[in-house]
Amino acid sequence: MAGGGVAALGVKTERAAQYKGRMTLAVAMTCLVAAVGGAIFGYDIGISGGVTSMDPFLAKFFPAVFHKKNSGSQNNYCKYDNQGLAAFTSSLYLAGLVASLVASPVTRNYGRKASIVCGGVSFLIGATLNVAAVNLPMLILGRIMLGVGIGFGNQAVPLYLSEMAPAHLRGGLNMMFQLATTLGIFTANLINYGTQNIKPWGWRLSLGLAAAPALLMTLGGLLLPETPNSLIERGRVEEGRRVLERIRGTADVDAEFTDMVEASELANTIEHPFRNILERRNRPQLVMAVCMPAFQILTGINSILFYAPVLFQSMGFGGNASLYSSVLTGAVLFSSTLISIGTVDRLGRRKLLISGGIQMIVCQVIVAVILGVKFGADKQLSRSYSIVVVVVICLFVLAFGYSWGPLGWTVPSEIFPLETRSAGQSITVAVNLFFTFAIAQAFLSLLCAFKFGIFLFFAGWITVMTVFVYIFLPETKGVPIEEMVLLWRKHWFWKKVMPDMPLEDGWGAAEASVDKDQK
């Protein structure tokens, strides 16, 4: 062929209609085990807020906060404002950010399973250090090791789920990660509710139980099959086909197998995926990899999940009532994710993101108004208004749980071509963890400074992200993962941003190849 064989690289033809396969037991089992990585992520989010509201924990590691909390004279909004306490929560996410970038070459060169196992082992080490902590440095080191586990797990698990799932079920199955995350948060809240009365070592039990899902994740990573996409990318083509036939439940996988082979041919010509992802042809995916996880955190959800007990105590709830309220929000989050799993592949990503965004804006504004009018630095909420605040926060969590919660992970994990998929997921995880770290570190100070205005701050960001989705995100429902690159060239905006497909960059369309030959 004139112009060389590079023109033939990459997925050039839509074959989605020819895809065969069904939901098989193999896919169900692998997705269940892999999603345990989400459970650990959720557990670590949920456990922090409860532990940091327990008096024995504060007295041992943060005596200044303990005395401030129990002095009775402190401004309600500022009683937990302490950078050391914030660092206990946020150090995990800073470590995860760094680890996610290290995980990218591991995931690409050694497979998705390798990163899942690395994540599980790191979680085990972190949980052991935390349960045995005798001083603050040991406690923080344990959190850092948990962060390394999150970096590897969050980088590999969403990719694993996206690649194993059939195209028509990918959205729902990918959300197993978020469902497991919400289950982890809910479980952590229940455990905190029980261990708060085990003094003085209940907090050790809360932190140490993270080892249970970590062990499951490690064993699962050792026993799971590798994804066919990863096997083919690493030259194990026949093995990749056998795995594909097994997980699809049919030998008629020619169309999907061809897409994977074409994608891997291009992927293997790319030596530096992080450099490649900056090129104009990958601009839409890069924008989504940065904006979707950043916006997910800027909803303010992690502030509520991290600090739910602290937040409710600041509003005047008693210790037991605050933990009970955080258990309630965890249950709502878990339930709402089930709604998303059942609707995402029927209604699509855009409808859920936009409707969820509108509901969250309304809820944040209502909470801000109630706190602004009925709550202050030196006065408590009445019982009736406290109930209203909890109900509205639950409605906020409900909206997040069916929209930005799962889809903030699902959309970035399904849009990248194979050659930049691992790098793209690393960027997604790094951005998510960076904003998680920043909000976790700053939230207690922001609450002290902004007071009720903190909810208006987040409402403003939710408005921005809802408009962003409406304008810039095409619907990805039902589009095969290896054909996703063709979707951007149909979008009214992104087709203007992406360059033409010259032959030399490996993305030559079939039509261009024909024209070249004819000339």
Side-chain angles (χ1 to χ4, degrees):
M1 177 183 291
V6 179
L9 298 183
V11 177
K12 305 172 291 300
T13 305
E14 294 183 359
R15 303 184 181 91
Q18 304 171 41
Y19 276 31
K20 297 291 193 296
R22 54 186 171 80
M23 181 65 187
T24 61
L25 181 61
V27 170
M29 292 303 297
T30 56
C31 289
L32 264 174
V33 176
V36 171
I40 308 178
F41 184 39
Y43 188 86
D44 286 321
I45 289 175
I47 213 71
S48 301
V51 166
T52 53
S53 69
M54 295 181 187
D55 283 349
F57 176 84
L58 291 175
K60 183 173 183 62
F61 296 106
F62 304 99
V65 179
F66 175 73
H67 294 305
K68 191 192 306 185
K69 172 189 174 185
N70 294 289
S71 66
S73 60
Q74 182 68 30
N75 183 314
N76 280 326
Y77 284 110
C78 301
K79 63 174 68 174
Y80 288 95
D81 182 18
N82 180 276
Q83 288 300 299
L85 183 62
F88 164 74
T89 298
S90 62
S91 58
L92 181 147
Y93 303 100
L94 185 61
L97 189 161
V98 176
S100 68
L101 300 176
V102 176
S104 176
V106 174
T107 304
R108 187 183 186 202
N109 297 324
Y110 300 100
R112 286 43 169 159
K113 285 180 54 175
S115 283
I116 291 174
V117 171
C118 287
V121 171
S122 298
F123 276 124
L124 283 170
I125 296 171
T128 302
L129 286 170
N130 273 345
V131 76
V134 295
N135 52 43
L136 187 57
M138 188 173 177
L139 187 73
I140 297 296
L141 180 60
R143 295 289 288 178
I144 289 172
M145 289 307 300
L146 289 173
V148 172
I150 282 178
F152 274 89
N154 286 17
Q155 205 277 342
V157 172
L159 281 188
Y160 187 91
L161 294 172
S162 284
E163 292 181 343
M164 294 294 280
H168 65 288
L169 297 173
R170 188 180 62 245
L173 290 177
N174 193 290
M175 285 181 185
M176 290 297 295
F177 180 78
Q178 177 65 15
L179 181 67
T181 300
T182 60
L183 181 60
I185 293 169
F186 179 52
T187 302
N189 289 332
L190 286 176
I191 289 172
N192 280 336
Y193 187 68
T195 58
Q196 65 174 330
N197 297 316
I198 305 175
K199 298 178 179 178
W201 54 270
W203 61 270
R204 292 188 186 275
L205 184 59
S206 289
L207 295 176
L209 284 174
L215 183 61
L216 283 177
M217 180 176 170
T218 305
L219 293 175
L222 293 171
L223 298 175
L224 290 174
E226 185 58 85
T227 71
N229 311 65
S230 178
L231 290 169
I232 293 169
E233 181 184 15
R234 291 182 288 134
R236 296 155 65 179
V237 178
E238 291 305 316
E239 184 181 353
R241 173 149 191 146
R242 286 196 300 272
V243 172
L244 182 61
E245 291 176 357
R246 186 165 74 250
I247 64 176
R248 297 292 178 258
T250 177
D252 187 8
V253 294
D254 290 343
E256 188 171 4
F257 179 71
T258 301
D259 274 352
M260 290 182 183
V261 170
E262 289 183 354
S264 70
E265 288 172 349
L266 176 58
N268 289 327
T269 67
I270 305 300
E271 296 182 5
H272 306 289
F274 278 103
R275 186 186 305 166
N276 184 262
I277 208 171
L278 298 176
E279 296 180 3
R280 278 183 61 197
R281 67 186 182 190
N282 292 316
R283 194 64 45 80
Q285 297 97 316
L286 179 60
V287 170
M288 294 300 161
V290 172
C291 290
M292 293 296 289
F295 286 153
Q296 184 193 54
I297 303 306
L298 289 170
T299 59
I301 187 67
N302 279 7
S303 302
I304 290 173
L305 298 179
F306 288 154
Y307 299 114
V310 169
L311 192 61
F312 286 128
Q313 280 193 15
S314 295
M315 292 176 186
F317 290 71
N320 287 350
S322 68
L323 278 171
Y324 183 77
S325 299
S326 64
V327 169
L328 180 61
T329 56
V332 170
L333 183 61
F334 175 73
S335 302
S336 60
T337 307
L338 295 174
I339 297 173
S340 190
I341 289 174
T343 58
V344 67
D345 287 314
R346 290 190 291 110
L347 299 179
R349 284 61 161 159
R350 282 170 52 86
K351 288 181 180 177
L352 293 180
L353 287 167
I354 292 170
S355 61
I358 293 170
Q359 183 174 329
M360 285 191 288
I361 293 167
V362 173
C363 292
Q364 293 274 31
V365 171
I366 290 174
V367 172
V369 170
I370 291 175
L371 295 184
V373 174
K374 297 294 182 179
F375 180 73
D378 55 357
K379 58 183 179 180
Q380 308 293 322
L381 281 176
S382 67
R383 176 177 174 80
S384 58
Y385 278 108
S386 296
I387 292 172
V388 172
V389 166
V390 172
V391 169
V392 175
I393 285 179
C394 284
L395 290 173
F396 169 84
V397 171
L398 176 73
F400 176 85
Y402 73 72
S403 61
W404 280 91
L407 292 171
W409 290 108
T410 297
V411 171
S413 73
E414 68 184 2
I415 60 175
F416 280 94
L418 183 61
E419 76 273 9
T420 56
R421 191 170 299 153
S422 180
Q425 185 66 14
S426 283
I427 292 172
T428 298
V429 174
V431 171
N432 181 285
L433 293 176
F434 172 77
F435 278 89
T436 302
F437 164 76
I439 294 296
Q441 189 67 32
F443 177 72
L444 295 177
S445 296
L446 289 174
L447 180 64
C448 182
F450 286 4
K451 301 178 174 57
F452 66 88
I454 189 71
F455 294 95
L456 296 177
F457 170 79
F458 289 125
W461 278 110
I462 299 170
T463 303
V464 171
M465 66 186 72
T466 303
V467 172
F468 173 87
V469 167
Y470 181 79
I471 296 175
F472 296 114
L473 181 66
E475 182 54 67
T476 60
K477 177 185 69 173
V479 181
I481 192 169
E482 300 302 355
E483 294 182 10
M484 199 67 69
V485 66
L486 304 174
L487 181 68
W488 302 102
R489 296 192 178 276
K490 301 176 183 177
H491 188 267
W492 72 271
F493 177 79
W494 295 118
K495 67 182 180 182
K496 300 174 185 176
V497 173
M498 297 178 74
D500 294 333
M501 296 187 284
L503 297 179
E504 62 269 21
D505 74 359
W507 288 83
E511 293 83 0
S513 300
V514 172
D515 290 343
K516 183 78 174 177
D517 284 342
Q518 289 175 344
K519 290 179 182 179

